[in-house]
Amino acid sequence: PALARPTEDQAVDLISGLEVRQPKLSRSGFFIDDQGTVLTTVEAVESCEYVTLDSVHRAQVALIDERLGVAVLRPETALSPLGVAVFQSGVPRLQAEVAVSGYPYGGVLARPALTFGRLADIRGLNGEDEVKRLDLIAQEGDAGGPVFDNTGAVLGMLLPPDEGGAQVLPPEVRFAVDAEAILASLAGAGITVGTTDSMAFMPPEALTREAAGITVLVSCW
């Protein structure tokens, strides 16, 4: 290919002019134990022929909680992730800084991106205890990604926007499943994960490194 002049037909999903097969959709997820078990959004695993982690490792659906909108995936071959999520068991402070780690553009980027914002409320708009309201701008691909507080602990999982409802919310209004609700769902399925109540501040640079080792691309084929 280097012998020919480049043209406008170039694309990252072409190899020698042949189109590379693309997944039906891609969302984000994150490792919750050292065997490579992944937590993600139900949206990422619905109507799939099969599911992959980071476009390479096939995974099986181990748990679906429709009420919370979360799913648990187990890789067919055990993985050794660089990092594992630790859930925050303490009550977060309103208006505290948070960050969502995810793949906003699917598999276009090789590494996850962090999107920073604030914790707008520890409940939903109707007072729901199982969700938190966030003030940040996120993309479709970020859904299923971990929501970190400024200690590096996971406050919850980012939910996809509710686009089927009659009400259209401002784009900066997003919701995350509360860590406590996730822990209860996982415990009911016999899945044990790490928790912390530490409030020690983690610099953004360290949080970026931690998020890169925890976050995984989930693709539905």
Side-chain angles (χ1 to χ4, degrees):
L3 297 177
R5 285 181 175 274
T7 68
E8 296 293 335
D9 295 329
Q10 299 177 96
V12 294
D13 56 355
L14 293 177
I15 297 178
S16 300
L18 299 177
E19 187 173 354
V20 177
R21 186 188 177 207
Q22 297 297 310
K24 295 178 183 178
L25 62 80
S26 291
R27 296 293 183 261
S28 302
F30 55 103
F31 293 112
I32 58 174
D33 66 22
D34 55 10
Q35 279 77 51
T37 305
V38 168
L39 186 74
T40 187
T41 172
V42 168
E43 183 189 30
V45 300
E46 291 178 321
S47 304
C48 302
E49 190 176 320
Y50 61 92
V51 178
T52 60
L53 307 177
D54 286 337
S55 302
V56 176
H57 311 285
R58 289 206 183 195
Q60 299 292 329
V61 178
L63 171 69
I64 288 182
D65 189 328
E66 293 282 0
R67 186 180 68 86
L68 296 181
V70 302
V72 173
L73 303 174
R74 284 201 173 98
E76 293 182 354
T77 302
L79 303 177
S80 296
L82 296 175
V84 173
V86 176
F87 289 85
Q88 179 61 261
S89 60
V91 178
R93 188 181 301 277
L94 284 178
Q95 297 302 314
E97 291 186 353
V98 297
V100 173
S101 179
Y103 289 84
Y105 306 105
V108 174
L109 300 177
R111 293 169 62 86
L114 275 182
T115 302
F116 290 90
R118 292 191 177 276
L119 177 64
D121 199 344
I122 60 173
R123 298 176 182 85
L125 292 173
N126 295 313
E128 305 95 328
D129 290 331
E130 68 271 14
V131 298
K132 288 180 168 61
R133 178 162 60 90
L134 310 178
D135 181 9
L136 56 78
I137 300 291
Q139 306 296 327
E140 283 188 355
D142 289 315
V147 179
F148 294 98
D149 62 13
N150 57 15
T151 74
V154 173
L155 289 177
M157 184 203 77
L158 185 70
L159 288 167
D162 183 9
E163 298 176 342
Q167 192 175 52
V168 179
L169 297 174
E172 69 274 12
V173 177
R174 295 299 297 267
F175 299 94
V177 184
D178 179 71
E180 185 177 354
I182 293 173
L183 291 172
S185 180
L186 296 178
I191 300 173
T192 303
V193 296
T195 62
T196 182
D197 59 0
S198 172
M199 293 296 172
F201 176 75
M202 176 179 286
E205 299 81 4
L207 178 58
T208 300
R209 290 193 297 270
E210 178 178 319
I214 292 174
T215 314
V216 61
L217 177 68
V218 179
S219 299
C220 171
W221 301 83

